[in-house]
Amino acid sequence: AEYMGEYSRYMGETLSRPVSQADNNRWLASISPIKGEFNAFMAGLAVAALYQESKFGLAWEREKMKQLQKLEDRRGIIPFISGILGKFCSGEVLPIYFATMYWVLDQYKCMYGIWLVPISEIVNGLLKWHYHTPRPGWVDHTIKLREWSDEYSFPSSHAQIVWSLANFFTFTSISSLRTKLLGTQLATTALVYWYLLVGPYLFAFLVSLSRVYDGLHYPRDITVGAGVGVVLSAVYIEILPTARDFFASLSIPARMFCLQLIPLFFMILLKWGYDRVCRDKKLQEEWMHVRGEGKYKGRRVSPHDVPYVAYTGMVGVLSGLGIAHSIVGFTPQDDFPTSFPIAVARILIGNIGLVVTFLALRCIEKWCTQPTFQRLWRFIRYANVPIYITLVAPLLFQLLAI
């Protein structure tokens, strides 16, 4: 009761207390209790599995998937929850998540953490094109597909992204954001400490498991995806302070130029991977139509062209981040809402504008029939996301005095 009383009093003023530069620097220098051991284990798991991928048998995994898919209730609650979990890592939900974090909670964690999403997605796409493993429902008519994706199966991009973010944000959970949300007294309790340390990994596990339940991935897909995601975030965390200081020391034109070299590099990688996988004509015909059960049975699969458009959107995110960081800088303004109602107003108004802009650009993209123009508009649509979050929305909030 005492803790809850403090929490209710604290929430009235916590959103107006910005995360300071000192808080952020302490977070960058902090060390998680499970950082070294856990990351080393996941790295070894990912490397070993990637090396042995072609030697894994898939039939026994499909049998386990069928048993898992039998867990249905009459009201459809389990499939509904699984679908919601799977949507978390979609291109429609993640922008809202990071936008809310930037406008209300912690600008630093948003601007640093969002880089992991496009990098992880592009790396995952290149791995998928390398192994070109079919999804379970593409080859087994007894697997029920509850969601659709044209991408290959191995490794899971959902698992890779959500585990990379979980590993990244556990650093946040044991430092500045934990204190900001809960107050000093609550945040220092052992229960809250371990709950916020383990919580992101538990959520990542549930998201990954939902991909197996929905018939989209083998168990080994999500296992290796988790390993690759943790490794990516661990490397990213190690180089982040140095990279931040380097780019912050540059002038705005020089910073923008250097940051735009990052999406250029990944675009070249994507083009190389796409040309390489398209050379084998046999692969393009091997899984032409889905064999699995469900509403997607018989649907035509396009594991090269459709993902190429999607990955181009991730290059757009990198380009938009480069523009945003060039203008806002690596030390954003500590502009936070002054009360809880204003915080809610920011979340609603800001995200409505984000969704409307996002869907409008999507309509233009869908209207285009040429693949080149589709990729162009996908690039623009996703490049708009970080620019809107960090530049456009704050101006809107100033005009509305929120």
Side-chain angles (χ1 to χ4, degrees):
E2 179 183 352
Y3 285 154
M4 291 307 297
E6 186 212 357
Y7 179 66
S8 62
R9 293 190 300 272
Y10 186 79
M11 280 303 293
E13 61 185 32
T14 182
L15 293 175
S16 62
R17 181 173 63 84
V19 176
S20 67
Q21 180 69 36
D23 287 337
N24 180 71
N25 289 338
R26 281 194 295 271
W27 164 74
L28 286 176
S30 66
I31 300 177
S32 168
I34 60 174
K35 175 185 176 184
E37 295 83 354
F38 180 72
N39 288 342
F41 169 76
M42 296 300 286
L45 177 69
V47 171
L50 288 171
Y51 176 73
Q52 295 288 335
E53 189 276 339
S54 60
K55 300 180 182 179
F56 284 170
L58 302 180
W60 72 272
E61 292 192 47
R62 288 198 293 269
E63 292 302 318
K64 299 300 180 182
M65 292 178 62
K66 295 170 190 175
Q67 296 176 11
L68 182 63
Q69 287 194 323
K70 292 179 181 178
L71 297 177
E72 293 191 29
D73 55 286
R74 294 181 178 180
R75 296 183 179 181
I77 296 178
I78 295 178
F80 174 77
I81 295 176
S82 180
I84 293 296
L85 288 171
K87 290 291 190 297
F88 175 78
C89 289
S90 67
E92 289 75 22
V93 175
L94 280 175
I96 296 175
Y97 169 78
F98 280 105
T100 301
M101 175 174 289
Y102 187 85
W103 299 330
V104 175
L105 295 174
D106 192 331
Q107 295 176 345
Y108 297 100
K109 307 310 180 293
C110 170
M111 293 195 72
Y112 297 154
I114 198 173
W115 283 86
L116 275 171
V117 177
I119 293 174
S120 182
E121 181 71 9
I122 293 171
V123 170
N124 181 268
L126 292 172
L127 289 173
K128 280 185 164 76
W129 279 342
H130 175 72
Y131 291 104
H132 45 77
T133 304
R135 291 185 182 267
W138 295 3
V139 296
D140 192 333
H141 66 88
T142 60
I143 296 293
K144 185 175 182 180
L145 280 173
R146 292 188 173 89
E147 298 291 339
W148 176 257
S149 176
D150 282 287
E151 296 179 80
Y152 287 119
S153 186
F154 180 85
S156 167
S157 59
H158 276 66
Q160 187 171 316
I161 291 174
V162 75
W163 278 87
S164 67
L165 292 177
N167 198 48
F168 180 82
F169 283 116
T170 48
F171 289 80
T172 305
S173 299
I174 61 175
S175 53
S176 58
L177 186 58
R178 175 168 57 97
T179 303
K180 180 176 175 61
L181 286 174
L182 300 175
T184 305
Q185 184 176 356
L186 268 177
T188 54
T189 61
L191 178 61
V192 169
Y193 179 91
W194 286 105
Y195 172 78
L196 288 176
L197 182 64
V198 177
Y201 292 109
L202 177 61
F203 179 75
F205 170 77
L206 293 175
V207 171
S208 302
L209 185 63
S210 73
R211 307 305 286 171
V212 178
Y213 180 78
D214 289 338
L216 288 165
H217 284 291
Y218 294 98
R220 57 77 184 267
D221 295 343
I222 62 171
T223 304
V224 177
V228 175
V230 168
V231 171
L232 279 177
S233 64
V235 173
Y236 177 75
I237 289 169
E238 288 296 326
I239 67 175
L240 176 58
T242 303
R244 177 204 58 176
D245 293 342
F246 169 74
F247 287 115
S249 66
L250 300 176
S251 63
I252 292 179
R255 186 189 306 163
M256 183 171 294
F257 173 78
C258 291
L259 287 173
Q260 290 306 316
L261 293 178
I262 299 176
L264 177 61
F265 168 75
F266 280 103
M267 192 68 243
I268 293 173
L269 271 184
L270 274 180
K271 185 65 169 63
W272 169 81
Y274 176 75
D275 292 340
R276 180 173 176 267
V277 76
C278 287
R279 289 193 193 105
D280 193 338
K281 300 298 182 182
K282 182 180 178 181
L283 285 178
Q284 299 182 18
E285 304 293 335
E286 193 170 350
W287 307 294
M288 188 62 70
H289 295 91
V290 171
R291 300 178 187 175
E293 295 295 329
K295 60 182 178 180
Y296 302 110
K297 183 177 181 180
R299 183 167 175 172
R300 184 183 178 90
V301 177
S302 179
H304 303 153
D305 296 336
V306 173
Y308 188 33
V309 174
Y311 302 151
T312 304
M314 295 299 99
V315 176
V317 176
L318 292 174
S319 181
L321 283 169
I323 296 173
H325 275 293
S326 299
I327 299 175
V328 176
F330 282 78
T331 307
Q333 298 295 317
D334 291 326
D335 179 24
F336 283 88
T338 56
S339 66
F340 188 76
I342 290 181
V344 174
R346 279 194 178 190
I347 294 172
L348 292 177
I349 296 174
N351 279 309
I352 288 174
L354 176 62
V355 172
V356 169
T357 305
F358 190 84
L359 294 179
L361 292 172
R362 184 181 181 182
C363 290
I364 299 176
E365 177 191 329
K366 294 293 183 182
W367 177 74
C368 297
T369 57
Q370 293 295 327
T372 302
F373 289 106
Q374 287 181 345
R375 291 194 296 270
L376 174 62
W377 281 105
R378 178 66 66 97
F379 179 94
I380 294 173
R381 174 155 67 106
Y382 278 92
N384 166 75
V385 172
I387 295 174
Y388 177 90
I389 292 174
T390 60
L391 300 175
V392 178
L395 291 177
L396 177 62
F397 297 153
Q398 289 182 7
L399 292 175
L400 298 177
I402 58 174

